[in-house]
Amino acid sequence: MVPGRSGESDCFGLVVPARMPVMSIAEMSAEDALVALHGSLDERRRPEEVAHLVLRVIGGQLGLRERMALGRVARAAARWNGWSSMSADFARPVGAARQVDAAVRLFELQHGGVDPEDPASLLDFSARLSESLGAVDPVRLDFLRDRLNREARAAVGIELSKRQYNRRFRVTQRLSAKADRLAVEQTKRQLTMVARAGFSASIDRSAFLADPWAGCFVAYLTAKRKLRREFTLAGRDNPYDDIADLLFQRCVADSGTDWWMIAQAYPTPSVLAQLTDAQRGELLGRWWTTMRQIATLLKRVWSASEFDQATMIVRRGNDSSTWNLLCGAYNAARAAWIATLDAAGSLVLLDASCPGKSMMLIAADLAVWHRSTGGGLHPDVGVWARLPLPWDVLDGTAACTRADVEAACGDGGVDPVVSGWSGPRAQAAVGAFRPTPELVHGVSIVDPVWASMLRAAGAFSGGKIKGGLESSLIPADVVVSDLPEPGGHSSR
């Protein structure tokens, strides 16, 4: 059999997924697999694929029981010949190479000196082009107010026709606008990674390769944390499952473990206790800065729309995708900041100022489903509604102490410490691995072929199904998820 084809078995008896590009997992050496694991920190690979890479790296050092447990998970990567309808990466912002090329060609410049992936470099290039056009305000670059007429162009030595001048002006405008959009999209992706995996995407490659056990643990745990949310009444699975625990216990047993690297992705009390005071102080500063940055963005989105703070059920016009992304990143940063405060023995600082959590928006149909089954809003929503907005607390506009938070939790019947409002969140029981489901807008589908068809048709998106695919034509066993009936009750 040709190496790398789907169906080939590696030395551990595992079928190689066909989706692995360039080099199959079976062809990888332990060193190559470890490099691939480091790359996965900035991707969205399925946990079973990551487990297969982990097995390539440290499989020979595992005991029989451990190897069997890890192999069971890795074998799940070969389902459907290793194919998945879901992307193995988070959306990456598209750079401005096209806009730069157009500007270079139109202005008759030499290539080089401009990084099309760097918004600052693009804005600097745009400003230089604006100055060459005699723009009054190179930053604003308004088409109606900043263009020069024929006499003004002649006065500053611009020998271009009106048509050529306008073309260059528009290209410069588009370049400046692209730089702004690129900065926003890069920030969104960065915060997506923070929400899902802490600071793991910034782990240095050399440090990662120097400690394979810690690297394997971080790569697997973050892969679990990056899993998509399912449309369900049940809570999310604990990403720290039996495989993560197996790898973590190996780290605990190793006297040379790089705990600083693990703390970037897993800032729990047991990990933070292994750090030096200087390291904990650095983490405190990074998480605090991240909180402040995200809070500023949350305030901007909040001010641009009308939210129902009492229920946080999404309304028409709410940018729920951006809001929930920012909430996830803010709450992750806040939880890590509080955990680090606790590890540093400085939790008393919350007595003076304790910014609360930020609540995500919930889909109206999911809220109705909860109510139809005897449930209701999450208790945290009531606590959030009773407290000042967290960005107002962080910028000093409003005051919120730990006593205020605990009083709001008391009114809502929430334990302030266990729930993570005024202390490190209690760790849940170790979870159990289950194969990654094929999801279409959170709904689990039986296989990736049907998932691709349903996604292309817009199924479960809240809009009208297109492409001639009617709901009545979808077999009953295609949808695996338990979904509500039109009246709100469960369909199973």
Side-chain angles (χ1 to χ4, degrees):
M1 183 174 290
V2 178
R5 298 280 178 85
S6 86
E8 179 192 6
S9 298
D10 67 6
C11 61
F12 295 102
L14 299 176
V15 179
V16 181
R19 69 184 293 178
M20 289 297 299
V22 184
M23 180 186 293
S24 71
I25 296 179
E27 294 177 297
M28 290 186 179
S29 64
E31 293 76 15
D32 290 334
L34 190 57
V35 170
L37 282 175
H38 179 261
S40 75
L41 299 181
D42 193 42
E43 298 170 342
R44 199 178 202 178
R45 293 194 183 187
R46 295 177 298 160
E48 43 266 55
E49 291 181 29
V50 173
H52 198 172
L53 288 168
V54 169
L55 195 59
R56 296 294 299 171
V57 175
I58 49 89
Q61 304 172 53
L62 296 172
L64 177 59
R65 190 179 297 275
E66 294 172 320
R67 190 161 60 248
M68 289 178 63
L70 187 56
R72 171 182 56 83
V73 174
R75 276 191 291 275
R79 287 184 309 157
W80 308 303
N81 288 326
W83 180 56
S84 172
S85 68
M86 302 182 295
S87 172
D89 200 358
F90 293 98
R92 293 184 182 272
V94 178
R98 184 172 60 84
Q99 288 84 354
V100 171
D101 286 343
V104 167
R105 184 173 60 255
L106 197 57
F107 281 82
E108 300 178 351
L109 303 172
Q110 294 294 321
H111 277 278
V114 181
D115 183 354
E117 306 295 333
D118 180 10
S121 177
L122 294 172
L123 286 174
D124 180 66
F125 182 46
S126 173
R128 295 200 307 271
L129 297 181
S130 300
E131 290 171 1
S132 74
L133 295 173
V136 176
D137 186 347
V139 176
R140 184 184 65 198
L141 206 63
D142 185 270
F143 190 77
L144 296 179
R145 290 179 291 180
D146 291 335
R147 284 180 302 154
L148 304 181
N149 59 24
R150 180 186 303 173
E151 292 75 17
R153 293 199 301 273
V156 296
I158 299 177
E159 299 178 356
L160 293 171
S161 67
K162 179 180 179 180
R163 180 173 180 272
Q164 286 298 320
Y165 181 80
N166 286 347
R167 285 185 66 193
R168 297 187 183 202
F169 201 98
R170 288 192 178 95
V171 164
T172 306
Q173 269 188 316
R174 291 166 188 156
L175 183 63
S176 178
K178 175 63 177 180
D180 291 337
R181 292 196 305 274
L182 182 60
V184 170
E185 293 306 313
Q186 287 180 346
T187 298
K188 282 185 177 180
R189 192 178 192 282
Q190 174 195 357
L191 295 180
T192 297
M193 299 305 296
V194 169
R196 303 284 188 165
F199 296 136
S200 63
S202 63
I203 292 175
D204 182 70
R205 175 170 165 171
S206 60
F208 187 91
L209 300 182
D211 190 346
W213 284 106
C216 288
F217 169 73
V218 168
Y220 181 79
L221 180 69
T222 55
K224 288 283 292 185
R225 288 182 60 184
K226 294 171 190 172
L227 286 174
R228 294 162 176 82
R229 289 181 178 271
E230 292 185 66
F231 188 81
T232 175
L233 294 180
R236 298 192 69 183
D237 294 341
N238 183 5
Y240 187 92
D241 62 12
D242 47 351
I243 301 303
D245 188 60
L246 182 159
L247 297 171
F248 185 74
Q249 295 308 321
R250 283 286 192 149
C251 293
V252 171
D254 186 351
S255 60
T257 293
D258 187 347
W259 292 106
W260 171 250
M261 177 169 67
I262 292 177
Q264 309 305 306
Y266 191 54
T268 59
S270 61
V271 173
L272 295 170
Q274 303 291 333
L275 304 184
T276 65
D277 289 341
Q279 289 173 327
R280 283 190 288 267
E282 182 177 342
L283 268 184
L284 270 176
R286 289 184 69 186
W287 285 120
W288 176 255
T289 300
T290 302
M291 282 176 62
R292 292 290 301 270
Q293 176 194 11
I294 302 168
T296 300
L297 298 175
L298 280 169
K299 181 178 182 179
R300 189 178 304 166
V301 177
W302 180 269
S303 302
S305 188
E306 292 186 6
F307 292 80
D308 184 352
Q309 188 177 359
T311 66
M312 291 308 288
I313 295 174
V314 67
R315 293 174 168 176
R316 184 180 297 275
N318 290 157
D319 184 357
S320 58
S321 296
T322 299
W323 176 263
N324 287 349
L325 162 64
L326 294 175
C327 280
Y330 171 81
N331 290 333
R334 179 185 182 275
W337 174 68
I338 289 179
T340 311
L341 273 179
D342 183 52
S346 302
L347 209 57
V348 67
L349 294 176
L350 296 181
D351 291 345
S353 181
C354 184
K357 300 180 189 179
S358 185
M359 292 295 103
M360 291 186 178
L361 288 167
I362 183 173
D365 51 355
L366 186 57
V368 171
W369 191 14
H370 272 284
R371 287 197 295 268
S372 72
T373 57
L377 295 174
H378 194 285
D380 277 359
V381 176
V383 178
W384 139 273
R386 294 179 178 90
L387 293 174
L389 297 171
W391 46 89
D392 289 338
V393 177
L394 286 164
D395 66 15
T397 304
C400 183
T401 66
R402 177 154 59 177
D404 295 329
V405 171
E406 291 177 346
C409 287
D411 292 341
V414 175
D415 187 311
V417 177
V418 173
S419 61
W421 278 95
S422 65
R425 179 184 289 274
Q427 290 184 259
V430 175
F433 170 82
R434 65 185 180 100
T436 304
E438 287 292 314
L439 299 180
V440 176
H441 295 290
V443 177
S444 184
I445 306 301
V446 69
D447 63 48
V449 176
W450 268 107
S452 296
M453 292 173 57
L454 293 172
R455 186 179 294 107
F460 312 116
S461 65
K464 185 178 180 180
I465 295 181
K466 54 191 177 183
L469 183 65
E470 302 295 336
S471 299
S472 59
L473 299 179
I474 303 175
D477 58 353
V478 165
V479 178
V480 179
S481 292
D482 186 14
L483 297 179
E485 296 287 359
H489 296 282
S490 175
S491 62
R492 301 189 184 187

